[in-house]
Amino acid sequence: MLPDPTLNSYLMLAAVLFAIGAAGVFLQRRFIGALLALQVMLNGVALTFVAAGRYFGGGDGQIHAVATVGLALVQAMFGLAIVVTLVRRRLIAAESVRLP
Amino acid sequence: MTTWFFWAFATVAIVASLVAVWQRRAIVGVLMLVTASSAVAGLYVLLDSPLMAVIQLGAYTAGLAALFLPVLLVLDLPGSTPDSRAVPKGIGLLVVGTLVVELAWAFQRIGGAELPRDDAAAVSAGAVFARLWTDHLPTLAVVVLLGATTVAGAHLVWREGR
């Protein structure tokens, strides 16, 4: 029988997602892969906010999660703009963009 | 039933995230990230946060797909081309290992805390919106301003690259 999920279950899951994303950011060779890993990290962050908000009550957790989602979209947009620019200038093949 | 849903969503989120991060084809990675985000949205529903689930699915997941997929398709990316690492593998493994040990230590120190089961602890979407427009207006303003600035900046970068 599976254990009932507690606050710790959600926090642990969020931490695992964050760790997977962090591993990708540190170990991924490609720029787009690193961007995807950052999104996974931010998924974990948002899940932490919502779970903590549910535990403590009030809507603050959800509001901060909304802000996190907004920032995630912003960084994805800018990262992709950089990739498109570099590829258009034929400076790199998009899959082989290195992290700075 | 909630227990089963939680573990199902958690499994999907972890597996899809792993595939998204370690895939060799970018398109597959984006699709897996969309899958992981959808699973996280399911977890938001379990946490009585339907507003966040809608935002996650309607804005974040759809936004990611709308941002990544056209770019990857237009660029017509070739297959993976392994390259030398910008960050040495040893340093990356050390940082990740430290993070995992730290997480394990932190979760050993705190006990299990039951989530409140009563509906009174859940916050309605209307209440969240009301607080967003009153108590957290500066946060909203900063995010919107940052988003607008990024759109303008991305447009400039894109034009510069033409």
Side-chain angles (χ1 to χ4, degrees), chain B residues 1-13:
Chain B
M1 187 60 83
T2 301
T3 303
W4 285 98
F5 273 123
F6 170 81
W7 290 107
F9 284 137
T11 305
V12 171

Side-chain angles (χ1 to χ4, degrees), chain A residues 3-4 6-8 13 24 26-30 32 39 43 46 50 54 58 60 71 74 85 89 94 98-99, chain B residues 3 7 21 23-24 43-44 47-48 56 60 77 82-86 95 111 113 116 121 131 136 146 150 157:
Chain A
D4 286 336
T6 62
L7 173 64
N8 284 8
L13 173 61
F26 282 115
L27 300 176
Q28 200 32 280
R29 307 174 203 182
R30 288 155 295 157
I32 285 187
Q39 300 297 325
N43 259 333
V50 175
R54 176 76 174 95
D60 292 350
L71 294 179
V74 161
T85 301
R89 288 184 173 185
R98 296 180 189 182
L99 283 168
Chain B
T3 303
W7 290 107
V21 170
Q23 40 68 39
R24 291 181 66 83
L43 292 169
Y44 291 153
L47 284 167
D48 294 320
Q56 176 86 3
Y60 183 65
L77 294 178
D83 206 341
S84 60
R85 296 173 186 280
V95 172
R131 293 204 62 184
H136 294 276
L146 193 57
T150 303
V157 169

Side-chain angles (χ1 to χ4, degrees), chain A residues 19-96:
Chain A
I20 291 172
V25 169
F26 282 115
L27 300 176
Q28 200 32 280
R29 307 174 203 182
R30 288 155 295 157
F31 188 81
I32 285 187
L35 270 180
L36 295 178
L38 274 172
Q39 300 297 325
V40 172
M41 287 177 76
L42 290 170
N43 259 333
V45 172
L47 182 59
T48 301
F49 278 132
V50 175
R54 176 76 174 95
Y55 179 71
F56 290 110
D60 292 350
Q62 292 185 56
I63 290 169
H64 292 304
V66 170
T68 304
V69 165
L71 294 179
L73 282 176
V74 161
Q75 67 96 0
M77 193 185 307
F78 204 78
L80 286 175
I82 291 173
V83 170
V84 169
T85 301
L86 293 178
V87 171
R88 275 175 177 267
R89 288 184 173 185
R90 300 184 188 283
L91 295 176
I92 42 98
E95 288 259 5
S96 60

Side-chain angles (χ1 to χ4, degrees), chain B residues 112-132:
Chain B
E114 289 290 330
L115 288 168
R117 294 183 181 279
D118 56 327
D119 290 337
V123 183
S124 69
V128 172
F129 262 123
R131 293 204 62 184
L132 187 60

Side-chain angles (χ1 to χ4, degrees), chain B residues 62-76:
Chain B
L64 280 183
L67 279 173
F68 275 96
L69 289 180
V71 169
L72 296 179
L73 291 174
V74 166
L75 292 180
D76 191 22

Side-chain angles (χ1 to χ4, degrees), chain B:
Chain B
M1 187 60 83
T2 301
T3 303
W4 285 98
F5 273 123
F6 170 81
W7 290 107
F9 284 137
T11 305
V12 171
I14 290 174
V15 171
S17 298
L18 280 171
V19 176
V21 170
W22 298 112
Q23 40 68 39
R24 291 181 66 83
R25 298 183 60 198
I27 292 278
V28 175
V30 173
L31 293 177
M32 285 298 108
L33 182 61
V34 167
T35 306
S37 299
S38 304
V40 172
L43 292 169
Y44 291 153
V45 174
L46 295 182
L47 284 167
D48 294 320
S49 306
L51 172 68
M52 195 56 216
V54 168
I55 291 175
Q56 176 86 3
L57 282 176
Y60 183 65
T61 306
L64 280 183
L67 279 173
F68 275 96
L69 289 180
V71 169
L72 296 179
L73 291 174
V74 166
L75 292 180
D76 191 22
L77 294 178
S80 175
T81 53
D83 206 341
S84 60
R85 296 173 186 280
V87 180
K89 188 177 181 181
I91 296 177
L93 286 175
L94 182 67
V95 172
V96 172
T98 307
L99 180 62
V100 170
V101 170
E102 193 175 9
L103 286 174
W105 173 76
F107 280 100
Q108 248 186 346
R109 294 292 301 270
I110 58 175
E114 289 290 330
L115 288 168
R117 294 183 181 279
D118 56 327
D119 290 337
V123 183
S124 69
V128 172
F129 262 123
R131 293 204 62 184
L132 187 60
W133 286 101
T134 53
D135 299 345
H136 294 276
L137 192 56
T139 306
L140 181 67
V142 166
V143 171
V144 169
L145 187 63
L146 193 57
T149 307
T150 303
V151 170
H155 183 66
L156 286 177
V157 169
W158 179 73
R159 282 186 61 187
E160 185 73 17
R162 292 182 73 181

